[in-house]
Amino acid sequence: MKSRMGAASYDGGMTETTLVLVGNAKAGTVSVLKLGEGSLEPLSTSTIGAGTGTFAVDAAHSLVYCATKQPEPAIVTLRLDRSSGVLTEVARRAVAEPLAYLTLTRDGDLLLGASYQGGWGVAWPVADGGLVGEETSRVEHANLHCVVTDSASRYAYFVSLGDDLISQTAIGEDGVLTPLDPPTVAAPEGSGPRHLVLAADEHAAYLVTEFSGEAIRLERDPATGQLTRAESVSIVDPEAGLTHSRFGADPMAEHLIWGADVHVARFGSYLLATERTASTVAVVSLDADGLLGGVVGLVPTEAQPRGFAVAPDSRHVVVAGEGSGSVAVYELSDEGELVKRDRHETGAGANWVRFA
């Protein structure tokens, strides 16, 4: 297996060919749009399968690894035509339970997935545009919702909503995952940790919680990969009247907190996080050391903003509305103001956004 140089990404400024990929779970499609200077141009929508809800992009090889639920849980490898936006299936691998999150190592030779329903996280070798051989490792915790790696692809972090923890592992050259010491980092009890993102310098990680609606900073030792929980800030609109949620609750029916996704923007100046019941994006300031400041903005957005992503230029933000079936593009100013620039319908259950 080739050595891994870092987490799959598409770095640099925006170009005329910066593409936005949007997963539409209920429609079973992936839409591809071209991102301009604050504009979205629809290119194509490809049918993948009902339950399309997460995917990882290998931009260097124009490949997309997409998880579906129907006709059976699977990972579908798709080739992306960058000019037309059309996705063409080239391989398919059945899995035991649906996946909530997929991520690639930077050179694309290892795919990691997290299954919320199955309570497992797995690493698969990748070659020639598809998964090859059997899984190299398995991590087991209740309701795993996310997996991310560092830029050198030396470490992987699996977030367990059901067990209120982050599992931290080392990635071997053979793709085997080895638990660090300690093997897990606790989140606040009952908080429902959901998604995690690393700071650009990787001295910090930021976690968003589903039930308590917090953004939590974790200090990170780049040499050992170990995380240590630090401070937190609420990302919930105080005027929305939301209360703490719990496992199995209906947030919309009971008017409960429903945190979703988190990303860093403006080259590390701001942390963005979404909450789905009030349908807001919180803009949290970060100081020069990456410490959490206050919430400088709470912006109404697409209904139930389950997923969003920050463009390669670090200032354009595309938010998907699971309830609206549309995406909106915003521009984040130096002062932390998030301004809507464009909006397009993509398909029912729009819930995942990545760039290519």
Side-chain angles (χ1 to χ4, degrees):
M1 181 175 292
K2 302 187 298 290
S3 64
R4 284 171 291 280
M5 297 303 295
S9 63
Y10 186 71
D11 299 323
M14 292 221 313
T15 71
E16 292 182 358
T17 57
T18 299
L19 301 180
V20 185
L21 280 67
V22 181
N24 309 299
K26 293 181 181 178
T29 61
V30 174
S31 298
V32 179
L33 308 92
K34 185 161 67 173
L35 179 64
E37 188 63 30
S39 66
L40 292 170
E41 177 189 343
L43 295 181
S44 177
T45 295
S46 303
T47 299
I48 312 300
T52 298
T54 181
F55 53 80
V57 179
D58 182 347
H61 299 97
S62 296
L63 293 173
V64 179
Y65 297 87
C66 185
T68 64
K69 295 181 180 179
Q70 299 295 332
E72 64 178 348
I75 299 171
V76 184
T77 306
L78 306 154
R79 188 167 300 282
L80 171 64
D81 185 312
R82 295 191 62 85
S83 60
S84 68
V86 171
L87 292 163
T88 303
E89 182 174 333
V90 297
R92 181 178 291 254
R93 166 74 73 90
V95 293
E97 288 94 13
L99 289 153
Y101 208 107
L102 288 173
T103 194
L104 279 163
T105 52
R106 187 182 185 105
D107 59 9
D109 72 342
L110 196 68
L111 180 71
L112 295 94
S115 174
Y116 181 89
Q117 182 175 322
W120 48 261
V122 166
W124 295 277
V126 173
D128 301 322
L131 277 62
V132 294
E134 300 303 316
E135 62 193 52
T136 62
S137 290
R138 177 170 287 248
V139 173
E140 296 187 347
H141 289 287
N143 308 111
L144 286 174
H145 218 309
C146 172
V147 54
V148 299
T149 72
D150 66 324
S151 63
S153 293
R154 295 176 57 202
Y155 302 101
Y157 304 95
F158 293 83
V159 181
S160 168
L161 184 145
D163 287 339
D164 289 323
L165 58 81
I166 301 166
S167 173
Q168 46 186 8
T169 65
I171 306 174
E173 289 299 320
D174 54 1
V176 172
L177 306 176
T178 303
L180 299 184
D181 182 16
T184 63
V185 180
E189 184 176 357
S191 62
R194 182 180 170 89
H195 282 185
L196 183 80
V197 65
L198 298 186
D201 66 4
E202 303 192 334
H203 286 270
Y206 302 99
L207 176 71
V208 67
T209 62
E210 181 167 331
F211 300 153
S212 61
E214 298 171 87
I216 300 173
R217 184 179 68 87
L218 300 104
E219 296 177 352
R220 180 177 181 273
D221 184 335
T224 65
Q226 293 172 328
L227 300 175
T228 304
R229 199 172 91 209
E231 78 277 9
S232 66
V233 63
S234 174
I235 55 115
V236 179
D237 182 353
E239 298 182 1
L242 305 179
T243 56
H244 198 291
S245 190
R246 66 192 183 282
F247 192 82
D250 184 336
M252 295 301 288
E254 300 183 48
H255 205 57
L256 305 175
I257 294 168
W258 202 11
D261 205 1
V262 62
H263 293 283
V264 177
R266 270 293 179 184
F267 306 103
S269 296
Y270 296 100
L271 185 74
L272 309 181
T274 51
E275 193 284 316
R276 287 171 286 178
T277 300
S279 296
T280 56
V281 181
V283 181
V284 181
S285 64
L286 300 174
D287 73 7
D289 295 320
L291 276 66
L292 296 170
V295 174
V296 298
L298 276 165
V299 181
T301 189
E302 297 296 313
Q304 295 178 212
R306 181 172 179 176
F308 74 99
V310 177
D313 67 0
S314 200
R315 62 186 176 87
H316 284 92
V317 182
V318 176
V319 181
E322 191 171 37
S324 69
S326 297
V327 294
V329 59
Y330 297 82
E331 186 171 0
L332 182 65
S333 72
D334 288 338
E335 296 72 33
E337 183 181 7
L338 203 58
V339 180
K340 185 187 290 187
R341 297 301 187 195
D342 201 0
R343 180 179 188 268
H344 280 280
E345 182 178 348
T346 57
N351 68 358
W352 198 260
V353 182
R354 290 293 182 264
F355 289 89

